[in-house]
């Protein structure tokens, strides 16, 4: 039987429908007591990812119906446990990927979805690598299986996923060609990346000049017509990993169509006898085998958080906003003027 006893009142940000960022609603609502297998997680940091930007347009591939509380990932401390959950978790800090629901001062999370945050890592720093770090790790090591000595292309090398992908690749001894606006080139050069201006109409020619024999992997979150050019950059045995359709984010219409259009093309390319492969990455793939999915997620995110704790990954915090100013956080993230993650933290408590 569902446990519906309201134990606490929380602040939550609601996305009421297709609205501009200032259309978000700050609400107060009851939070049920944790059911069997659940915990209450007090939010210490969440953030704005590309998913929320798509969701407010009704464009995220499998978003819930409006209205709902967005928030793709969260870092927080367990404040209560439900039946069957070890009470020793209370007071410990964890990260979780939630897809929705994290833009709240506290939320219910399945204990099986918690990933421990190492001591000494701040909530905001950890937040920068939850969805972005997990995605980058799985793109590099699971989808492309890139090895030391390889050469890869990262489109949007200054973005949330792209910048983390760059750091992971350089740590693994991989040569990186990264596309970004010229203002980010100096920072990319410092990281040992070969930068290319993403607005250059001859961008793919510039990349070929840097890697005339082709590359081992291309990570493409843009989709659209350019994905053909990304495929052509690969050498024999190379892998194209498509992980989004950002080129259509402002186009009205069915949110699933750009992705569904992409699948037959990727499938067809995989049948060609040239040793190249094409994959579409979705963080939520494999959820039907829930235990295996959770185990893989925990393993990968634990690796990323350890690299953060060890100083291999540098947390890139673009700005911090209190939860009640989530509209401003979303607007800044969408402005394309910042590098790194826009982080949302709890509102200061007034005594």
């Amino acid at each position: 039987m569902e446990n519906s006893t309201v134990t606490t009142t929380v602040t939550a940000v609601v996305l009421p429908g297709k609205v501009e960022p200032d259309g978000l609603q700050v609400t107060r609502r009851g939070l049920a007591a944790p059911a069997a297998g659940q915990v209450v997680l007090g939010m210490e940091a969440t953030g704005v990812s590309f998913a929320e930007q798509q969701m407010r347009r009704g464009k995220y591939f499998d978003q819930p119906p409006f209205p709902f509380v967005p928030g793709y990932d969260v870092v927080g401390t367990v404040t209560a446990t439900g039946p069957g959950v070890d009470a020793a978790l209370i007071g410990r800090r964890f990260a979780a990927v939630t897809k929705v629901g994290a833009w709240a001062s506290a939320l219910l999370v399945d204990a099986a979805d918690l990933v421990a945050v190492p001591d000494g890592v701040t909530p905001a720093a950890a937040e920068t690598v939850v969805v972005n770090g997990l995605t980058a790790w799985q793109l590099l090591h699971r989808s492309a299986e890139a090895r030391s000595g390889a050469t890869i292309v990262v489109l949007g090398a200054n973005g949330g996923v792209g910048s983390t992908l760059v750091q992971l690749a350089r740590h693994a001894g991989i040569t990186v060609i990264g596309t970004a606006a010229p203002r980010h080139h100096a920072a990319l050069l410092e990281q040992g990346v070969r930068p290319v201006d993403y607005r250059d109409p001859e961008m793919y020619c510039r990349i070929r000049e840097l890697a005339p024999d082709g590359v081992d992997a291309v990570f493409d979150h843009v989709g659209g017509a350019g994905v053909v050019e990304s495929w052509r950059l690969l050498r024999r045995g190379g892998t194209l990993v498509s992980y989004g359709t950002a080129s259509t984010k402002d186009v009205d219409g069915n949110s699933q169509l750009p992705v569904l259009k992409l699948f037959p093309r990727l499938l067809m390319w995989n049948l060609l006898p040239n040793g190249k492969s094409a994959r579409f990455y979705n963080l939520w793939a494999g959820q039907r085998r829930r235990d295996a999915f959770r185990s893989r997620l925990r393993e990968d995110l634990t690796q990323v958080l350890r690299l953060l704790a060890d100083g291999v990954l540098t947390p890139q915090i673009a700005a911090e906003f209190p939860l009640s100013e989530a509209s401003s956080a979303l607007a800044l993230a969408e402005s394309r003027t910042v590098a790194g993650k826009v982080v949302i933290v709890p509102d200061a408590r007034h005594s």
Side-chain angles (χ1 to χ4, degrees):
M1 193 171 111
E2 188 174 325
N3 184 344
S4 58
T5 310
V6 173
T7 57
T8 184
T9 304
V10 300
T11 301
V13 175
V14 173
L15 187 55
K18 293 182 188 179
V19 294
E20 291 302 308
D22 62 9
L24 292 172
Q25 298 170 352
V26 180
T27 65
R28 297 282 289 164
R29 53 171 59 186
L31 186 69
Q38 288 185 324
V39 304
V40 175
L41 196 68
M43 185 272 284
E44 293 178 298
T46 178
V48 185
S49 60
F50 187 64
E52 289 95 7
Q53 299 174 42
Q54 293 288 74
M55 285 177 186
R56 77 159 185 85
R57 298 175 170 93
K59 298 277 293 177
Y60 187 75
F61 188 78
D62 56 355
Q63 70 188 69
F66 297 115
F68 63 91
V69 176
Y72 208 85
D73 58 3
V74 64
V75 175
T77 296
V78 174
T79 59
T81 56
V85 180
D86 186 355
L89 297 185
I90 293 173
R92 291 173 55 192
R93 180 172 292 149
F94 294 94
V97 183
T98 52
K99 191 184 283 188
V100 294
W103 287 8
S105 56
L107 59 153
L108 296 172
V109 178
D110 286 348
D113 290 328
L114 299 174
V115 180
V117 174
D119 291 341
V121 174
T122 67
E127 165 58 26
T128 66
V129 301
V130 182
V131 67
N132 288 344
L134 178 65
T135 299
W137 177 275
Q138 293 187 341
L139 287 169
L140 190 68
H141 295 296
R142 291 197 184 269
S143 296
E145 298 178 1
R147 301 276 183 265
S148 178
T151 297
I152 66 171
V153 173
V154 177
L155 301 187
N158 64 297
V161 172
S163 60
T164 312
L165 188 51
V166 163
Q167 292 181 68
L168 289 174
R170 296 300 295 138
H171 177 64
I174 293 165
T175 298
V176 181
I177 299 168
T179 71
R183 68 177 178 275
H184 298 296
H185 287 192
L188 289 173
L189 283 165
E190 275 181 31
Q191 295 179 79
V193 176
R194 300 173 180 182
V196 175
D197 184 354
Y198 82 97
R199 287 176 298 201
D200 185 336
E202 300 296 315
M203 180 185 90
Y204 284 97
C205 293
R206 301 284 167 270
I207 295 171
R208 277 193 197 86
E209 287 167 8
L210 294 172
D213 298 325
V215 299
D216 298 287
V218 179
F219 299 93
D220 187 327
H221 69 297
V222 181
V227 79
V228 177
E229 295 296 334
S230 291
W231 171 255
R232 288 176 180 155
L233 292 174
L234 297 172
R235 62 165 62 113
R236 186 175 185 85
T239 304
L240 167 65
V241 187
S242 170
Y243 67 103
T245 53
S247 64
T248 62
K249 73 176 170 60
D250 295 320
V251 179
D252 286 336
N254 186 330
S255 62
Q256 301 190 4
L257 205 57
V259 177
L260 296 176
K261 276 182 174 173
L262 194 55
F263 284 157
R265 178 172 268 165
L266 300 182
L267 195 62
M268 182 187 73
W269 283 342
N270 281 322
L271 299 174
L272 297 175
N274 57 15
K276 301 197 293 193
S277 60
R279 295 175 185 170
F280 187 83
Y281 169 84
N282 171 11
L283 188 148
W284 301 99
Q287 268 204 107
R288 287 191 198 117
R289 297 177 60 226
R290 194 80 181 145
D291 289 348
F293 173 83
R294 281 169 156 157
S295 172
R296 186 171 65 241
L297 188 152
R298 189 179 304 111
E299 180 186 330
D300 294 350
L301 185 50
T302 297
Q303 296 257 33
V304 170
L305 287 166
R306 190 171 295 132
L307 289 173
L308 181 67
D310 291 346
V312 171
L313 289 176
T314 303
Q316 293 181 297
I317 301 168
E320 289 186 25
F321 288 85
L323 181 64
S324 60
E325 295 175 28
S327 292
S328 299
L330 183 57
L332 181 65
E334 293 196 19
S335 70
R336 297 179 67 99
T337 61
V338 294
K341 182 97 176 185
V342 175
V343 174
I344 294 171
V345 297
D347 283 84
R349 286 191 177 87
H350 300 291
S351 52

